[in-house]
Amino acid sequence: MTARLTPTSSLRSELPNGFYLGNVVPGAGHLLGGSLADKDGGSKPTVRPTGDDIFVSAALLRQAKKDGTLGDLISGLTTDAKDIPALPVTDEVRNEAETLEHLTAKQFNSLTPENQGKWQEIAPARNQFHFSEMDGLLDFAKENGQRVRGHCLLWHNQNPQWLRDMFEEGAATDEELRAVLVQHINHVVGRYKGHIAQWDVANEIFNEDGSVRVGNPWIDRFGLEIIAEALRLAHQADPNCQLYLNDYNVESINAKSDAYYELSKELLAAGVPLHGFGIQGHLALQYGYPNDMRENMARFTALGLGVEITELDIRIFVDENDEARIPEDLDTQAEWYARVISDALAVPGVTGVTIWGVADSYSWIPSLFKGEGAALLFDDNLAPKQAYAAVSGALGAPAGG
Ligand code: 9MR
């Protein structure tokens, strides 16, 4: 059973003032990001768009995957984007791209680049910036009156090889590395000054037990102090942009979210420009709903920070056709979506919920969690699921419910 989508259905038209319902725009690295970039930490190239249209390029990749030509595409890749063969745009690809584009524009009032803003994508070679996809996303958002969240500046993942090489012992001095950080933040945040409302400045810096994660080259080398420096640099580059820390498994009050709470307090006390806490919200039915999420969000807003759910998806167990193993899971999933929206609306200072993908067929989940998926509002055919109707219902319901 799927929900009904009438020609006038639009989640964004149901939003209370000042509240954002976001989604991601797929792009370079999508589909291949999970299978290539992650395995070796990001040294392999990812696919560049073959046309101007960011949605067509994503649909093309999906078509290649369906046709079984993705392997050829991957083996033909080199680090030089020019060598990537252009794929023919079939009617099917065109239709899918148009539907996805239409849903993205009509249902959501905020957009996040899924991969296009990450270091590997935006600076694939030293001193070379690849802005065309981010520019395309910004143009799309402008045309459709949408806000943009930037994602992300410092992360342990999806860093270009040249940058990782610089962190090899003896390869670069501290001064040289700091100059790279200054250049990156100035170029990237500065370019979109006034057009990107929020940036995830540091992504996923703590472990589940609250200790500092090892593997983010910046933190490994300079310690957490580099986060304050990155926040200051980003603030200089765009003084009106809201600067966020962002992570997963921080929906509840736990050791990891405690670590963010303490760090946030310290940064604020030191006068560092920090404005928000991003709770990713990658949920899975088997782990139970984070019942204390409101309380957790409220302790961050009490510090004066904004809070957003930044990457929501709710995965379930699926069969080999990516369909729910237990059909009732789709109903439970819908209830959870409604709860997240109600929780976010109930806490003053929580300004938005971004869903990490429009349709199940575009989600990152099956590439990382085998046997899990179907985590989004629209199914593989881009038809609305129960979760869509539930989000719509929760937006219409009085806050606090
Ligand atoms: O959705 C993204 C996927 O396409 C990439 O392959 C993957 C690489 O790590 O990153 C995914 O997005 C992640 C986000 O940037 C940070 N939080 C976790 C998200 C899901 O893995």
Side-chain angles (χ1 to χ4, degrees):
M1 189 195 81
T2 53
R4 228 162 53 87
L5 191 65
T6 69
T8 54
S9 307
S10 165
L11 297 174
R12 65 181 286 187
S13 69
E14 302 173 37
L15 298 172
N17 264 345
F19 193 82
Y20 292 91
L21 183 69
N23 214 305
V24 291
V25 171
H30 181 74
L31 293 178
L32 299 181
S35 51
L36 282 180
D38 277 354
K39 271 198 191 113
D40 62 359
S43 68
K44 291 241 180 90
T46 52
V47 167
R48 305 267 163 238
T50 49
D52 293 338
D53 188 325
I54 46 184
F55 290 96
V56 168
S57 69
L60 274 172
L61 293 181
R62 180 164 182 245
Q63 180 75 35
K65 197 178 180 192
K66 223 162 85 185
D67 293 350
T69 55
L70 196 59
D72 301 342
L73 189 64
I74 292 169
S75 56
L77 291 180
T78 73
T79 41
D80 184 349
K82 289 193 297 288
D83 293 342
I84 294 170
L87 296 172
V89 179
T90 61
D91 284 350
E92 201 179 334
V93 164
R94 175 69 61 194
N95 286 341
E96 179 169 315
E98 280 174 6
T99 310
L100 189 63
E101 180 176 330
H102 178 73
L103 290 173
T104 305
K106 192 166 170 201
Q107 302 296 333
F108 306 97
N109 68 345
S110 175
L111 296 179
T112 304
E114 185 171 9
N115 290 296
Q116 303 88 319
K118 293 170 181 174
W119 205 308
Q120 178 181 268
E121 298 301 332
I122 211 159
R126 193 169 177 192
N127 296 320
Q128 270 178 38
F129 288 84
H130 170 80
F131 285 125
S132 56
E133 283 186 74
M134 280 290 282
D135 288 356
L137 188 154
L138 268 288
D139 289 345
F140 182 85
K142 194 171 173 199
E143 271 164 37
N144 294 294
Q146 292 164 305
R147 181 193 74 161
V148 176
R149 292 197 85 250
H151 176 81
C152 53
L153 298 174
L154 296 192
W155 195 23
H156 62 272
N157 216 342
Q158 285 175 285
N159 287 313
Q161 185 65 46
W162 66 266
L163 180 63
R164 291 186 291 135
D165 287 346
M166 283 191 80
F167 280 97
E168 291 297 320
E169 212 183 319
T173 63
D174 286 0
E175 287 65 36
E176 285 167 330
L177 287 166
R178 282 181 197 276
V180 167
L181 186 69
V182 171
Q183 183 200 38
H184 188 76
I185 294 183
N186 281 345
H187 272 63
V188 176
V189 179
R191 181 180 180 90
Y192 300 113
K193 180 181 173 183
H195 299 286
I196 289 193
Q198 306 185 337
W199 265 104
D200 290 330
V201 174
N203 193 37
E204 302 172 0
I205 61 175
F206 288 117
N207 293 312
E208 270 48 38
D209 66 0
S211 59
V212 177
R213 181 200 276 271
V214 173
N216 180 320
W218 295 101
I219 299 176
D220 292 351
R221 176 84 164 233
F222 296 103
L224 281 185
E225 181 49 37
I226 203 74
I227 304 296
E229 193 165 330
L231 286 162
R232 288 195 191 97
L233 288 168
H235 187 61
Q236 274 162 25
D238 185 355
N240 292 319
C241 184
Q242 296 171 337
L243 306 178
Y244 269 64
L245 304 174
N246 189 55
D247 211 328
Y248 58 88
N249 284 350
V250 291
E251 293 72 31
S252 287
I253 296 180
N254 55 33
K256 194 174 187 178
S257 61
D258 283 351
Y260 279 99
Y261 183 69
E262 293 308 322
L263 176 65
S264 299
K265 277 204 296 201
E266 281 167 32
L267 290 170
L268 293 170
V272 176
L274 172 70
H275 311 106
F277 183 50
I279 296 176
Q280 292 183 3
H282 293 294
L283 305 181
L285 289 197
Q286 72 267 30
Y287 300 125
Y289 188 84
N291 291 314
D292 58 351
M293 187 155 73
R294 285 188 195 191
E295 204 186 325
N296 187 36
M297 294 192 293
R299 69 174 172 156
F300 283 92
T301 59
L303 295 178
L305 295 177
V307 171
E308 298 221 356
I309 311 282
T310 54
E311 306 184 10
L312 178 64
D313 44 32
I314 303 173
R315 58 186 191 271
I316 63 176
F317 291 114
V318 292
D319 61 20
E320 54 288 349
N321 300 317
D322 281 339
E323 288 184 9
R325 277 193 183 277
I326 306 166
E328 293 75 33
D329 278 358
L330 291 169
D331 299 313
T332 312
Q333 176 188 60
E335 281 163 30
W336 282 34
Y337 264 104
R339 282 183 78 176
V340 173
I341 299 291
S342 312
D343 284 350
L345 290 175
V347 181
V350 177
T351 47
V353 175
T354 290
I355 300 170
W356 206 244
V358 172
D360 291 341
S361 46
Y362 281 76
S363 167
W364 67 287
I365 287 179
S367 68
L368 205 75
F369 297 99
K370 296 291 167 227
E372 294 180 64
L376 301 170
L377 302 188
F378 294 85
D379 69 15
D380 282 2
N381 301 314
L382 307 190
K385 296 157 63 185
Q386 289 95 311
Y388 176 89
V391 168
S392 170
L395 289 172

